[in-house]
Amino acid sequence: MARELAIGLDIGTTSVKAVIFDLTGNLVAEAEEMVTTTYPNPDWTEQDPKEVEKASVKVMKEVVENAKADADELLTVGISCAMHSIICMDEQGEPLSQMLIWSDARSSEQAEKLLQNEGLDIFARTGTPIHPMSPLLKLIWMKETNYEPYQKAAYFMSMKEYLLQKWFGKRVVDYSMASATGLLNVKNLEWDEETLAIAGISKEQLSKIVPPTEILTNIDEAVAKEMGISSEMPFVIGAADGQLANLGSGAILPGEVNVSVGTSGAIRQFIEGAPVNEHMETFTYAFTDDTSIIGGPTNNGGIALQWFKDLIGFNGSHDELLAGAEEVEAGSEGIIFLPYVNGERAPIWNGRAKGNFYGLSIGHHKDHLARAVLEGITFNIYQIGKSLEKIAGKPKKISVNGGLSKSGLWVQIMADVFGQDIHISDTHHNAAWGAVWTGLVGIGKAESFEAIKENLPAEKVVHPNMENHELYLQVYEKYERLARDLAVYFD
């Protein structure tokens, strides 16, 4: 009997992955290809879209080979992609520029200026914070600096749009990728004319907006042959990686929160409609016609721990670095770490923010600092979570995934800070599984997004130490005051 399999294509910032699952979520095969990031000028962060597209074809080919999958066993491909990328394109569908990715900060001055004027009004309509990560701000920078690719561009696309145009000859974008541009009105799911005017572009230069279950068929024959798939196999457009990480973790109902922490991180929750936080502490990105995901991204997840490891010249593994930190009591004996070593997005939305250690004394050593780093990362996520509660209420369930979730100490700190059980998925391919499930819904093989709950990897549950929770609440109050009071020095 032939197997029934589906592929999740996950286009991330550091790599492209293709993962094959059976229909109950069991991992069958995977393939990964790293992607080159360049930094041609201070604050500029770019990738070559042609390289990413070739990497996508390569991992598709490799994962089909690794699974020893026949063409008739493969039902669909669902696509996940990192948000906030933008490419200037010519009339023939060729890139005129490199791809500017989310961490490109060249538009910091434009963001500051916009916030002093109509920025909050734009945020109220689009749900996308006014920040250099946003393609809107990148477009404003392009306009104001007479960026040649912008001036010559026929179209503007994200990485996923470029890939689909290359493979299928269609210019389409799903709700969530469109929403993350800062150009979509989240109330009516149409391009926002007032915001387009500020960016200096027209809606004809953007793609057709479609739901995440949109099906694309008849992939280019040469591409299909290289991948080892049928050109008739349906691809489903999917969504952004954040939405799909929540879906793939089963965090899809009201009150279910997912925390993803790798190099960077985010805390997110699905919600009905498109409510927008009036103080711009969190984002609101559309997912379907009637649901959105709210949350906040942090620049400083595992990168802050890696920074500390490099700073002290520690040559061992991360586990070895943190072994001594497990012996330090909660609160790190008075040390508080503001983790803004890479600037910050939520909840302060300040690309110029700086990291700080507070409370150092002569009795402290590296183990105290290592634990303080983990606690600081967690306090930042907790602070974003408090902003979510203003819209959605206290979370009923918290799940975590990402590289930092491999640290038992960090997960325990998470449980203690939040004062709730933390559920850890048995897979790190949550976004890919969410993409696959969207594909299965799109082709009618799964009845609903919610039905994924019956097809999730096993979970481990970590319970909070409530004595530590009470202590952490006191430490967090001081953390929050420090973050607010030091903000005046971030320039």
Side-chain angles (χ1 to χ4, degrees), residues 405-419:
S405 66
K406 297 175 184 177
S407 165
L409 174 59
W410 177 72
V411 176
Q412 186 63 59
I413 291 172
M414 274 283 298
D416 294 350
V417 169
F418 279 81

Side-chain angles (χ1 to χ4, degrees), residues 421-461:
D421 288 348
I422 301 295
H423 299 255
I424 311 169
S425 172
D426 198 29
T427 178
H428 60 284
H429 293 306
N430 302 81
W433 178 230
V436 163
W437 194 261
T438 304
L440 296 175
V441 173
I443 65 172
K445 195 70 177 178
E447 63 182 20
S448 67
F449 290 113
E450 291 78 9
I452 196 172
K453 287 181 170 293
E454 306 302 319
N455 298 276
L456 292 173
E459 288 184 332
K460 181 174 72 174
V461 180

Side-chain angles (χ1 to χ4, degrees), residues 329-390:
E329 292 185 2
S332 302
E333 294 189 18
I335 299 178
I336 295 176
F337 177 61
L338 296 181
Y340 313 140
V341 294
N342 195 32
E344 192 49 283
R345 289 180 285 171
I348 62 174
W349 299 103
N350 190 336
R352 302 180 192 274
K354 301 293 187 291
N356 290 271
F357 281 107
Y358 167 85
L360 291 170
S361 71
I362 200 166
H364 290 130
H365 49 74
K366 70 173 179 63
D367 294 336
H368 294 93
L369 272 69
R371 184 178 184 108
V373 169
L374 291 184
E375 291 176 344
I377 293 169
T378 310
F379 285 143
N380 199 40
I381 293 169
Y382 182 73
Q383 188 174 13
I384 303 169
K386 299 297 284 184
S387 296
L388 289 189
E389 289 184 21
K390 295 175 184 177

Side-chain angles (χ1 to χ4, degrees), residues 7-24:
I7 304 176
L9 178 60
D10 185 7
I11 306 164
T13 302
T14 57
S15 70
V16 178
K17 291 179 282 189
V19 189
I20 291 183
F21 299 90
D22 67 19
L23 302 196
T24 61

